Amino acid sequence: MSRWLHQRADDVCSLRCSVTALCVVVALAGKVAAFADAPGRPDVPPLPEPATVKQQDLPLLHPQIDALVDASLAASGVSAAEPASDGEFVRRIYLDLIGRVPGVDETREFLVDAAANTDARTQLIDRLLDSPEHVRRMQYVLDEMIMERRGGANVPDAEWKAWLRQSVADNRSWSWIANEILSADGAETEKRPPAKFYLDRDFASEVVTRDVGRVFLGVDLECAQCHDHPNIETYLQRHYYGINAFLSRSYVFTDAKSKKKMLGEKAEGEVKFTSVFTSEEGGTAPRLLDLPPIADPEGTAGEYVAKPDKTTRGVPKYSRRQQLAEQMTAPENLDFRRNIANRIWALMAGRGLVEPLDVRHAGNPAAHPELLSLLAERLRDSGDDLRWLMREIALSNAYQRSSSPIEVEASDAADAQVVQASLDEAAETSDEGSSEPAAVADFQAARIKPLSPEQLAWSVMQVLGVTDRTLAAKQAELAKKDGDAGAKKADDPVWQEQMLGEALKSNVDQFAAQFAGQGGQKTGFDATANQALFLINGSLVQGWLEPISGSLTERLLKIEDNGQLADELFLCVLGRQPNAEEAAEFQSVLGGADDRTQAVKDLIWALLASAEFRFNH
Amino acid sequence: MKARYACGSSEHLMARRQFLGTLAGGAVVGGLGALTNPAVAGQIQSNQMRVVVLYLAGGVSQLESWDPKPKTDTGGPFRAIPTSVPGVHISELLPKTATHMDKLALVRSINTKNNDHGKGSYQMQYGRSQMPGTEYPHLGAVCARALERADNPLPGHIRVPGGSRGSDAAYLGPQYASVGMNGKPPANSERAGSLTEAADKLRNDFRRQANDRFSLQRRTASTDLYTQSYEQALQLMERREVFDVTKESEADMDRYGRFDLGQHCLMARRLLENGIPFVQVQHSNYDTHNENFNFHFEQLGEFDQAFSTLVGDLHDRGMLETTLVVVMSEFGRTPKINARYGRDHWGSAWSVCLGGAKIQPGAVIGKTNENGTKVIDREVEHGDLFHTYLSAVGLDSGGAFDIGGREQPMADPSHAPITELLT
């Protein structure tokens, strides 16, 4: 029963360890937990059920966000950038909430509405959060957050994504989602999808222990596996084994009939560890970071619902893995909320309050600790409602600022130099790979965010008419097949979103293959020559530029006046009017072109391939 | 491509600033003169270095190659022959290579304590033992990142043969993952047939103009990276023939040998000449549990011709001083000859051949006993070799990459280079 893991400490540790002693993990059978500091929850009100929390009953969060942000800007003597223009705002909010740029009609509609209606932004935010496309956006976001693009076939991708979609569509709370994932065993078919987190990490002990910490708590305890972390004072070996102890009794069981892998669990076994630095021995009951350890209930040791053997999946009377799910999502676990609040903030603001997202500790505190705590506490009070959190962030002035920190007087050469110098400085300090602590500058103006592979794919398809053309064709098909009933169904946004998701999936997959990083660890924004080649010469995008029916090229070619054409081109691709200089340049190309079709294609492509399109700003 | 700003340790942060400063001013980075910090100059200097690995998959026998033990119970039927280094003998299966030993070196005292293909190939190519839950970059990814050159748009980590992109760069990111090449140019590198050169120029001019305007108000390191990636792509389109081995002469194809390994080594030469920092060529079929001697006779015949031609060419072209050449496997083969005239897996006492760059020409490191069953002098393992490779191309193998705020050592910090092997 004992399992020995011999490994040179320095192989494990990514830091400069010079110790070469053994790191020993002992799983001892048959000993009931007898660790001194007994559990006992502090007095914390129970978590409200998500369904019982009414958004409108919650105090508004966004004024509090702004109060904190404005105070820190004022304290540093920094003035905030101007509010984003309506044009800037509409592109940004579509990308952040539904994962694509607005169509040209949607842009126009909003610009008209915003000119007359002071609530236009709030109404748009609510409409987007309610739309089926928000479900798709969050499906991608959560999938990347939880599975980190690692693939895996134990739970098919389609089933996992369908489960994520349903969870978002039902506006399930983050604690519900985490609870389903962390307690999953994959045994029942209908409850199998959330087991993907464990099963497609092959339930490798080191991997799942580490990733429970990273994904759900925002701490990377890898180096604390063999000793207290040498550089991070607050990452202790008992933290690693505290999480490990929830999982150490579980194991992969292959069902003889279905050949499917699932998790079984034993009713006994403790974790002990030895520091390779100090040779101190320790043991721990399951515990989450510095929350109290959880002792097994009396008399549950060795007690089974189903006793494990070769053909039977072990099911203990008391499951520590189930406990992990409960403890993780318990209201007193604020680290669980800090982690997700930080990740949602990063999604909306382009940079986490803590960076890297999974290295939160005393030596790497949040850029604004008070703000992070506020978000975490209020998220808990909302019943861990992510949609509510995104809404509140979107409503804040901090989110709705312009991404241009400086007003440029282009005519003034001296000023332009000053501006360039400060932008150079900004370019330097904004390097995603740098470890410099986030500063007040983070709150001064909206950050420029690269589009995710999926945002890029859906935006290119939106702009070039692929999405609308596909929708129209499918709607016609349905109306032809099912008559009036078909036509009615074809108007249903839920049907439309699902149908488009399926019809265009292979395109999105091609973008993801090109633009997504591999593996679990993200390294910030990256742009490679291969990706550029995909957009420069790849047959997918080149094909979409052809003037076929329903394409942007075809639509633009119908406009005879060059000035109007240039205006429409900019509005369609970039969501804004051209300035005078741009309009003049485009008109002169169109006026002098021998081949008008080719000229229109080239101009569309030039804007599509520009940084202005590639980033959310 | 990602940050050529090298790793983020304090002196390299300096380099990044200087680089950006120079680029931002609109000036061309004009060689080393622009960079006054000697540490920075050193880093750039090392960017001229390259690495080529010949990986003999399955585990080449050290006894039939670099550490023959003729006339012993383990020696097998082949003789040892003298080489261009007095006193150093290698197997008679490598007669052409023997004439180049004065440019190469041997490490004959490797003990990796492992007899498993997967683990051994990980050890040797990643410089560490594999651990669940941790991922390290391949030697090629480390070299591609550390030896990357700002003026070269070509991918830095190439595997021959192969067609796909590997996932072997771990935290360095996919841009340093291996790209498999089969002697053809990369995907999407040819201008679409319908697009004239003039039209392509026009649309790219407009793209640049749009970027210039955008960057007036919203410029970040990320937007810079993005706009640069297009310029790299366009250069790559211009240089796509680099990957087209059919552009080499018939005479060279003959000299390297009209078999896969020969053509792959010719391809490697072509890639190295074009400044690609890391190329790995694979030769298979060395897992000789049966008929070890017949197989080695056959395989090493090909290897000897291709490898010796490559080393000779690199030397003749003055490239060997800046190109590290390594011949490795996942392990060696047992001294004991089994009942099927085979040799089995053996990680306890085996050899690697290397040369070029800062490797001491003609050196022989370490020793096995009389019949090759044990290392008796200067035992080394994969971690030491990995450090040595990096040091040989002028890198500080004790240094670290800064990956999103995390320090990631270039090589296993508990090991060090074999200093006596380095010039």
PDB file of all heavy atoms in Angstrom, chain A residues 11 14 222 358 403-404 423-424 428 523 527 530 537 585 611, chain B residues 1 17 134 136 165 188 209 211 213 216-219 406 409:
ATOM      1  N   ASP A  11      14.856  18.225  -9.507  1.00  0.00           N
ATOM      2  CA  ASP A  11      14.114  17.936 -10.725  1.00  0.00           C
ATOM      3  C   ASP A  11      12.705  18.472 -10.602  1.00  0.00           C
ATOM      4  O   ASP A  11      12.086  18.891 -11.560  1.00  0.00           O
ATOM      5  CB  ASP A  11      14.057  16.422 -10.975  1.00  0.00           C
ATOM      6  CG  ASP A  11      15.338  15.953 -11.633  1.00  0.00           C
ATOM      7  OD1 ASP A  11      16.116  16.812 -12.074  1.00  0.00           O
ATOM      8  OD2 ASP A  11      15.538  14.740 -11.686  1.00  0.00           O
ATOM      9  N   SER A  14      11.536  24.120  -9.805  1.00  0.00           N
ATOM     10  CA  SER A  14      11.986  24.925 -10.929  1.00  0.00           C
ATOM     11  C   SER A  14      12.884  26.060 -10.458  1.00  0.00           C
ATOM     12  O   SER A  14      13.253  26.919 -11.207  1.00  0.00           O
ATOM     13  CB  SER A  14      10.790  25.472 -11.683  1.00  0.00           C
ATOM     14  OG  SER A  14      10.023  26.266 -10.836  1.00  0.00           O
ATOM     15  N   GLU A 222       3.568  24.154  -6.782  1.00  0.00           N
ATOM     16  CA  GLU A 222       4.446  23.123  -7.335  1.00  0.00           C
ATOM     17  C   GLU A 222       5.719  22.954  -6.514  1.00  0.00           C
ATOM     18  O   GLU A 222       6.124  21.845  -6.187  1.00  0.00           O
ATOM     19  CB  GLU A 222       4.806  23.464  -8.776  1.00  0.00           C
ATOM     20  CG  GLU A 222       5.681  22.387  -9.416  1.00  0.00           C
ATOM     21  CD  GLU A 222       6.200  22.803 -10.784  1.00  0.00           C
ATOM     22  OE1 GLU A 222       6.062  23.971 -11.144  1.00  0.00           O
ATOM     23  OE2 GLU A 222       6.744  21.929 -11.468  1.00  0.00           O
ATOM     24  N   ASP A 358      -2.027  32.839 -11.197  1.00  0.00           N
ATOM     25  CA  ASP A 358      -1.969  31.735 -10.248  1.00  0.00           C
ATOM     26  C   ASP A 358      -0.775  31.852  -9.292  1.00  0.00           C
ATOM     27  O   ASP A 358      -0.303  30.857  -8.765  1.00  0.00           O
ATOM     28  CB  ASP A 358      -1.934  30.388 -10.986  1.00  0.00           C
ATOM     29  CG  ASP A 358      -0.770  30.301 -11.957  1.00  0.00           C
ATOM     30  OD1 ASP A 358      -0.044  31.308 -12.108  1.00  0.00           O
ATOM     31  OD2 ASP A 358      -0.582  29.239 -12.566  1.00  0.00           O
ATOM     32  N   SER A 403      -9.020  53.778 -24.086  1.00  0.00           N
ATOM     33  CA  SER A 403      -7.752  53.059 -23.993  1.00  0.00           C
ATOM     34  C   SER A 403      -6.585  53.938 -24.423  1.00  0.00           C
ATOM     35  O   SER A 403      -5.443  53.519 -24.395  1.00  0.00           O
ATOM     36  CB  SER A 403      -7.793  51.800 -24.851  1.00  0.00           C
ATOM     37  OG  SER A 403      -8.081  52.143 -26.188  1.00  0.00           O
ATOM     38  N   SER A 404      -6.878  55.126 -24.854  1.00  0.00           N
ATOM     39  CA  SER A 404      -5.801  56.035 -25.244  1.00  0.00           C
ATOM     40  C   SER A 404      -5.494  56.953 -24.070  1.00  0.00           C
ATOM     41  O   SER A 404      -6.327  57.758 -23.683  1.00  0.00           O
ATOM     42  CB  SER A 404      -6.235  56.856 -26.458  1.00  0.00           C
ATOM     43  OG  SER A 404      -5.221  57.785 -26.769  1.00  0.00           O
ATOM     44  N   LEU A 423       4.632  56.933 -25.047  1.00  0.00           N
ATOM     45  CA  LEU A 423       4.111  55.667 -25.555  1.00  0.00           C
ATOM     46  C   LEU A 423       5.202  54.604 -25.591  1.00  0.00           C
ATOM     47  O   LEU A 423       4.956  53.435 -25.332  1.00  0.00           O
ATOM     48  CB  LEU A 423       3.523  55.860 -26.955  1.00  0.00           C
ATOM     49  CG  LEU A 423       2.114  56.468 -26.981  1.00  0.00           C
ATOM     50  CD1 LEU A 423       1.770  56.946 -28.371  1.00  0.00           C
ATOM     51  CD2 LEU A 423       1.085  55.466 -26.504  1.00  0.00           C
ATOM     52  N   ASP A 424       6.414  55.014 -25.918  1.00  0.00           N
ATOM     53  CA  ASP A 424       7.531  54.066 -25.892  1.00  0.00           C
ATOM     54  C   ASP A 424       7.674  53.497 -24.495  1.00  0.00           C
ATOM     55  O   ASP A 424       7.864  52.305 -24.295  1.00  0.00           O
ATOM     56  CB  ASP A 424       8.844  54.766 -26.278  1.00  0.00           C
ATOM     57  CG  ASP A 424       8.851  55.163 -27.749  1.00  0.00           C
ATOM     58  OD1 ASP A 424       7.993  54.650 -28.484  1.00  0.00           O
ATOM     59  OD2 ASP A 424       9.703  55.977 -28.135  1.00  0.00           O
ATOM     60  N   GLU A 428       7.130  49.636 -23.301  1.00  0.00           N
ATOM     61  CA  GLU A 428       8.114  48.880 -22.546  1.00  0.00           C
ATOM     62  C   GLU A 428       7.508  48.256 -21.303  1.00  0.00           C
ATOM     63  O   GLU A 428       7.676  47.093 -21.026  1.00  0.00           O
ATOM     64  CB  GLU A 428       9.205  49.839 -22.083  1.00  0.00           C
ATOM     65  CG  GLU A 428      10.532  49.590 -22.706  1.00  0.00           C
ATOM     66  CD  GLU A 428      11.505  50.621 -22.210  1.00  0.00           C
ATOM     67  OE1 GLU A 428      12.046  50.387 -21.121  1.00  0.00           O
ATOM     68  OE2 GLU A 428      11.690  51.641 -22.885  1.00  0.00           O
ATOM     69  N   THR A 523       1.903  32.222 -21.655  1.00  0.00           N
ATOM     70  CA  THR A 523       3.077  33.078 -21.559  1.00  0.00           C
ATOM     71  C   THR A 523       2.784  34.468 -22.091  1.00  0.00           C
ATOM     72  O   THR A 523       3.642  35.137 -22.596  1.00  0.00           O
ATOM     73  CB  THR A 523       4.242  32.473 -22.353  1.00  0.00           C
ATOM     74  OG1 THR A 523       3.780  32.219 -23.678  1.00  0.00           O
ATOM     75  CG2 THR A 523       4.727  31.193 -21.756  1.00  0.00           C
ATOM     76  N   ALA A 527       2.860  36.653 -31.002  1.00  0.00           N
ATOM     77  CA  ALA A 527       2.489  36.759 -32.413  1.00  0.00           C
ATOM     78  C   ALA A 527       3.596  36.130 -33.228  1.00  0.00           C
ATOM     79  O   ALA A 527       4.752  36.506 -33.097  1.00  0.00           O
ATOM     80  CB  ALA A 527       2.318  38.222 -32.802  1.00  0.00           C
ATOM     81  N   ASN A 530       4.031  32.437 -38.473  1.00  0.00           N
ATOM     82  CA  ASN A 530       3.084  31.455 -39.006  1.00  0.00           C
ATOM     83  C   ASN A 530       1.652  31.946 -38.928  1.00  0.00           C
ATOM     84  O   ASN A 530       0.839  31.709 -39.821  1.00  0.00           O
ATOM     85  CB  ASN A 530       3.181  30.135 -38.233  1.00  0.00           C
ATOM     86  CG  ASN A 530       4.405  29.356 -38.602  1.00  0.00           C
ATOM     87  OD1 ASN A 530       5.118  29.726 -39.533  1.00  0.00           O
ATOM     88  ND2 ASN A 530       4.665  28.287 -37.866  1.00  0.00           N
ATOM     89  N   ASN A 537      -1.846  34.572 -46.474  1.00  0.00           N
ATOM     90  CA  ASN A 537      -2.009  33.686 -47.630  1.00  0.00           C
ATOM     91  C   ASN A 537      -3.011  32.551 -47.435  1.00  0.00           C
ATOM     92  O   ASN A 537      -3.329  31.862 -48.397  1.00  0.00           O
ATOM     93  CB  ASN A 537      -0.659  33.044 -47.990  1.00  0.00           C
ATOM     94  CG  ASN A 537       0.381  34.063 -48.404  1.00  0.00           C
ATOM     95  OD1 ASN A 537       0.067  35.018 -49.111  1.00  0.00           O
ATOM     96  ND2 ASN A 537       1.611  33.885 -47.951  1.00  0.00           N
ATOM     97  N   GLU A 585      -6.976  58.791 -48.637  1.00  0.00           N
ATOM     98  CA  GLU A 585      -6.100  57.729 -49.159  1.00  0.00           C
ATOM     99  C   GLU A 585      -6.908  56.608 -49.812  1.00  0.00           C
ATOM    100  O   GLU A 585      -6.592  56.136 -50.908  1.00  0.00           O
ATOM    101  CB  GLU A 585      -5.267  57.125 -48.033  1.00  0.00           C
ATOM    102  CG  GLU A 585      -4.085  57.965 -47.620  1.00  0.00           C
ATOM    103  CD  GLU A 585      -3.505  57.502 -46.288  1.00  0.00           C
ATOM    104  OE1 GLU A 585      -3.921  56.422 -45.782  1.00  0.00           O
ATOM    105  OE2 GLU A 585      -2.658  58.232 -45.757  1.00  0.00           O
ATOM    106  N   ALA A 611      -3.252  46.186 -36.483  1.00  0.00           N
ATOM    107  CA  ALA A 611      -3.278  45.993 -35.032  1.00  0.00           C
ATOM    108  C   ALA A 611      -4.604  46.471 -34.448  1.00  0.00           C
ATOM    109  O   ALA A 611      -5.102  45.920 -33.471  1.00  0.00           O
ATOM    110  CB  ALA A 611      -2.113  46.733 -34.386  1.00  0.00           C
TER     111      ALA A 611
ATOM    112  N   MET B   1       7.198  37.012 -33.513  1.00  0.00           N
ATOM    113  CA  MET B   1       7.803  36.083 -32.567  1.00  0.00           C
ATOM    114  C   MET B   1       8.060  36.768 -31.243  1.00  0.00           C
ATOM    115  O   MET B   1       8.225  37.962 -31.184  1.00  0.00           O
ATOM    116  CB  MET B   1       9.123  35.583 -33.119  1.00  0.00           C
ATOM    117  CG  MET B   1       8.880  34.727 -34.335  1.00  0.00           C
ATOM    118  SD  MET B   1      10.322  33.800 -34.779  1.00  0.00           S
ATOM    119  CE  MET B   1       9.745  33.085 -36.296  1.00  0.00           C
ATOM    120  N   ARG B  17      15.490  47.083 -22.867  1.00  0.00           N
ATOM    121  CA  ARG B  17      15.292  48.525 -22.940  1.00  0.00           C
ATOM    122  C   ARG B  17      16.058  49.108 -24.106  1.00  0.00           C
ATOM    123  O   ARG B  17      15.565  49.928 -24.864  1.00  0.00           O
ATOM    124  CB  ARG B  17      15.780  49.185 -21.658  1.00  0.00           C
ATOM    125  CG  ARG B  17      14.705  49.285 -20.627  1.00  0.00           C
ATOM    126  CD  ARG B  17      15.266  49.708 -19.301  1.00  0.00           C
ATOM    127  NE  ARG B  17      14.473  49.135 -18.232  1.00  0.00           N
ATOM    128  CZ  ARG B  17      13.295  49.612 -17.872  1.00  0.00           C
ATOM    129  NH1 ARG B  17      12.790  50.651 -18.465  1.00  0.00           N
ATOM    130  NH2 ARG B  17      12.602  49.035 -16.906  1.00  0.00           N
ATOM    131  N   THR B 134       5.205  18.288 -14.315  1.00  0.00           N
ATOM    132  CA  THR B 134       6.119  19.364 -14.690  1.00  0.00           C
ATOM    133  C   THR B 134       6.467  19.218 -16.164  1.00  0.00           C
ATOM    134  O   THR B 134       6.526  18.113 -16.687  1.00  0.00           O
ATOM    135  CB  THR B 134       7.436  19.300 -13.902  1.00  0.00           C
ATOM    136  OG1 THR B 134       8.031  18.034 -14.147  1.00  0.00           O
ATOM    137  CG2 THR B 134       7.211  19.486 -12.429  1.00  0.00           C
ATOM    138  N   TYR B 136       9.243  20.656 -19.091  1.00  0.00           N
ATOM    139  CA  TYR B 136      10.427  21.449 -19.408  1.00  0.00           C
ATOM    140  C   TYR B 136      10.565  21.548 -20.918  1.00  0.00           C
ATOM    141  O   TYR B 136      10.080  20.700 -21.652  1.00  0.00           O
ATOM    142  CB  TYR B 136      11.669  20.789 -18.814  1.00  0.00           C
ATOM    143  CG  TYR B 136      11.677  20.793 -17.312  1.00  0.00           C
ATOM    144  CD1 TYR B 136      11.445  19.627 -16.591  1.00  0.00           C
ATOM    145  CD2 TYR B 136      11.878  21.969 -16.613  1.00  0.00           C
ATOM    146  CE1 TYR B 136      11.429  19.640 -15.206  1.00  0.00           C
ATOM    147  CE2 TYR B 136      11.859  21.997 -15.235  1.00  0.00           C
ATOM    148  CZ  TYR B 136      11.641  20.822 -14.532  1.00  0.00           C
ATOM    149  OH  TYR B 136      11.608  20.850 -13.170  1.00  0.00           O
ATOM    150  N   ARG B 165       3.872  20.466 -36.017  1.00  0.00           N
ATOM    151  CA  ARG B 165       4.484  21.272 -34.974  1.00  0.00           C
ATOM    152  C   ARG B 165       4.489  20.443 -33.694  1.00  0.00           C
ATOM    153  O   ARG B 165       3.480  19.855 -33.333  1.00  0.00           O
ATOM    154  CB  ARG B 165       3.632  22.530 -34.809  1.00  0.00           C
ATOM    155  CG  ARG B 165       4.217  23.534 -33.862  1.00  0.00           C
ATOM    156  CD  ARG B 165       4.297  24.924 -34.493  1.00  0.00           C
ATOM    157  NE  ARG B 165       5.338  25.670 -33.800  1.00  0.00           N
ATOM    158  CZ  ARG B 165       5.913  26.760 -34.254  1.00  0.00           C
ATOM    159  NH1 ARG B 165       5.569  27.229 -35.420  1.00  0.00           N
ATOM    160  NH2 ARG B 165       6.844  27.380 -33.564  1.00  0.00           N
ATOM    161  N   ASN B 188       1.402  28.052 -46.098  1.00  0.00           N
ATOM    162  CA  ASN B 188       0.950  29.434 -46.347  1.00  0.00           C
ATOM    163  C   ASN B 188       2.088  30.404 -46.657  1.00  0.00           C
ATOM    164  O   ASN B 188       1.920  31.608 -46.525  1.00  0.00           O
ATOM    165  CB  ASN B 188       0.171  29.993 -45.146  1.00  0.00           C
ATOM    166  CG  ASN B 188      -1.101  29.224 -44.871  1.00  0.00           C
ATOM    167  OD1 ASN B 188      -1.771  28.791 -45.802  1.00  0.00           O
ATOM    168  ND2 ASN B 188      -1.425  29.044 -43.606  1.00  0.00           N
ATOM    169  N   GLN B 209       0.388  51.566 -42.791  1.00  0.00           N
ATOM    170  CA  GLN B 209      -0.122  52.908 -42.490  1.00  0.00           C
ATOM    171  C   GLN B 209      -1.147  52.870 -41.369  1.00  0.00           C
ATOM    172  O   GLN B 209      -1.131  53.703 -40.458  1.00  0.00           O
ATOM    173  CB  GLN B 209      -0.779  53.506 -43.736  1.00  0.00           C
ATOM    174  CG  GLN B 209       0.200  54.266 -44.603  1.00  0.00           C
ATOM    175  CD  GLN B 209      -0.480  54.835 -45.833  1.00  0.00           C
ATOM    176  OE1 GLN B 209      -1.693  55.013 -45.849  1.00  0.00           O
ATOM    177  NE2 GLN B 209       0.303  55.099 -46.862  1.00  0.00           N
ATOM    178  N   ASN B 211      -1.374  50.697 -39.058  1.00  0.00           N
ATOM    179  CA  ASN B 211      -0.673  50.421 -37.802  1.00  0.00           C
ATOM    180  C   ASN B 211       0.032  51.664 -37.272  1.00  0.00           C
ATOM    181  O   ASN B 211       0.043  51.912 -36.064  1.00  0.00           O
ATOM    182  CB  ASN B 211       0.359  49.304 -37.995  1.00  0.00           C
ATOM    183  CG  ASN B 211      -0.322  47.959 -38.145  1.00  0.00           C
ATOM    184  OD1 ASN B 211      -1.442  47.776 -37.684  1.00  0.00           O
ATOM    185  ND2 ASN B 211       0.343  47.032 -38.806  1.00  0.00           N
ATOM    186  N   ARG B 213      -0.821  54.716 -37.645  1.00  0.00           N
ATOM    187  CA  ARG B 213      -1.807  55.622 -37.051  1.00  0.00           C
ATOM    188  C   ARG B 213      -2.268  55.100 -35.703  1.00  0.00           C
ATOM    189  O   ARG B 213      -2.374  55.843 -34.730  1.00  0.00           O
ATOM    190  CB  ARG B 213      -3.027  55.747 -37.970  1.00  0.00           C
ATOM    191  CG  ARG B 213      -2.724  56.556 -39.192  1.00  0.00           C
ATOM    192  CD  ARG B 213      -3.969  57.229 -39.726  1.00  0.00           C
ATOM    193  NE  ARG B 213      -3.606  57.901 -40.963  1.00  0.00           N
ATOM    194  CZ  ARG B 213      -3.630  57.288 -42.142  1.00  0.00           C
ATOM    195  NH1 ARG B 213      -4.036  56.042 -42.259  1.00  0.00           N
ATOM    196  NH2 ARG B 213      -3.254  57.939 -43.221  1.00  0.00           N
ATOM    197  N   LEU B 216       0.066  55.619 -32.852  1.00  0.00           N
ATOM    198  CA  LEU B 216       0.220  56.978 -32.347  1.00  0.00           C
ATOM    199  C   LEU B 216      -0.485  57.145 -31.005  1.00  0.00           C
ATOM    200  O   LEU B 216      -0.058  57.919 -30.158  1.00  0.00           O
ATOM    201  CB  LEU B 216      -0.377  57.978 -33.341  1.00  0.00           C
ATOM    202  CG  LEU B 216       0.581  58.527 -34.391  1.00  0.00           C
ATOM    203  CD1 LEU B 216      -0.133  59.522 -35.269  1.00  0.00           C
ATOM    204  CD2 LEU B 216       1.793  59.176 -33.732  1.00  0.00           C
ATOM    205  N   GLN B 217      -1.578  56.458 -30.837  1.00  0.00           N
ATOM    206  CA  GLN B 217      -2.316  56.612 -29.585  1.00  0.00           C
ATOM    207  C   GLN B 217      -2.323  55.381 -28.702  1.00  0.00           C
ATOM    208  O   GLN B 217      -2.530  55.483 -27.509  1.00  0.00           O
ATOM    209  CB  GLN B 217      -3.773  56.998 -29.880  1.00  0.00           C
ATOM    210  CG  GLN B 217      -3.879  58.387 -30.460  1.00  0.00           C
ATOM    211  CD  GLN B 217      -5.289  58.895 -30.354  1.00  0.00           C
ATOM    212  OE1 GLN B 217      -5.869  58.879 -29.291  1.00  0.00           O
ATOM    213  NE2 GLN B 217      -5.825  59.353 -31.467  1.00  0.00           N
ATOM    214  N   ARG B 218      -2.128  54.227 -29.306  1.00  0.00           N
ATOM    215  CA  ARG B 218      -2.262  53.014 -28.499  1.00  0.00           C
ATOM    216  C   ARG B 218      -1.155  52.051 -28.867  1.00  0.00           C
ATOM    217  O   ARG B 218      -1.344  51.136 -29.650  1.00  0.00           O
ATOM    218  CB  ARG B 218      -3.615  52.347 -28.771  1.00  0.00           C
ATOM    219  CG  ARG B 218      -4.792  53.183 -28.334  1.00  0.00           C
ATOM    220  CD  ARG B 218      -6.083  52.473 -28.657  1.00  0.00           C
ATOM    221  NE  ARG B 218      -7.237  53.213 -28.196  1.00  0.00           N
ATOM    222  CZ  ARG B 218      -7.798  54.213 -28.875  1.00  0.00           C
ATOM    223  NH1 ARG B 218      -7.315  54.577 -30.048  1.00  0.00           N
ATOM    224  NH2 ARG B 218      -8.851  54.831 -28.384  1.00  0.00           N
ATOM    225  N   ARG B 219      -0.015  52.259 -28.293  1.00  0.00           N
ATOM    226  CA  ARG B 219       1.100  51.387 -28.637  1.00  0.00           C
ATOM    227  C   ARG B 219       1.525  50.623 -27.402  1.00  0.00           C
ATOM    228  O   ARG B 219       1.711  51.191 -26.326  1.00  0.00           O
ATOM    229  CB  ARG B 219       2.253  52.226 -29.153  1.00  0.00           C
ATOM    230  CG  ARG B 219       3.459  51.416 -29.461  1.00  0.00           C
ATOM    231  CD  ARG B 219       4.411  52.126 -30.382  1.00  0.00           C
ATOM    232  NE  ARG B 219       5.618  51.356 -30.434  1.00  0.00           N
ATOM    233  CZ  ARG B 219       6.787  51.783 -29.988  1.00  0.00           C
ATOM    234  NH1 ARG B 219       6.898  52.996 -29.488  1.00  0.00           N
ATOM    235  NH2 ARG B 219       7.840  51.005 -30.049  1.00  0.00           N
ATOM    236  N   ARG B 406       7.979  34.327 -13.572  1.00  0.00           N
ATOM    237  CA  ARG B 406       8.557  33.156 -12.926  1.00  0.00           C
ATOM    238  C   ARG B 406       9.954  32.900 -13.481  1.00  0.00           C
ATOM    239  O   ARG B 406      10.142  32.921 -14.686  1.00  0.00           O
ATOM    240  CB  ARG B 406       7.708  31.917 -13.210  1.00  0.00           C
ATOM    241  CG  ARG B 406       6.637  31.699 -12.178  1.00  0.00           C
ATOM    242  CD  ARG B 406       5.738  30.558 -12.602  1.00  0.00           C
ATOM    243  NE  ARG B 406       4.552  31.113 -13.227  1.00  0.00           N
ATOM    244  CZ  ARG B 406       3.314  30.681 -13.013  1.00  0.00           C
ATOM    245  NH1 ARG B 406       3.107  29.678 -12.202  1.00  0.00           N
ATOM    246  NH2 ARG B 406       2.286  31.241 -13.595  1.00  0.00           N
ATOM    247  N   PRO B 409      14.974  28.093 -14.752  1.00  0.00           N
ATOM    248  CA  PRO B 409      16.383  27.863 -15.095  1.00  0.00           C
ATOM    249  C   PRO B 409      16.513  27.239 -16.484  1.00  0.00           C
ATOM    250  O   PRO B 409      15.710  26.392 -16.861  1.00  0.00           O
ATOM    251  CB  PRO B 409      16.858  26.875 -14.030  1.00  0.00           C
ATOM    252  CG  PRO B 409      15.812  26.854 -12.985  1.00  0.00           C
ATOM    253  CD  PRO B 409      14.535  27.332 -13.586  1.00  0.00           C
TER     254      PRO B 409
END
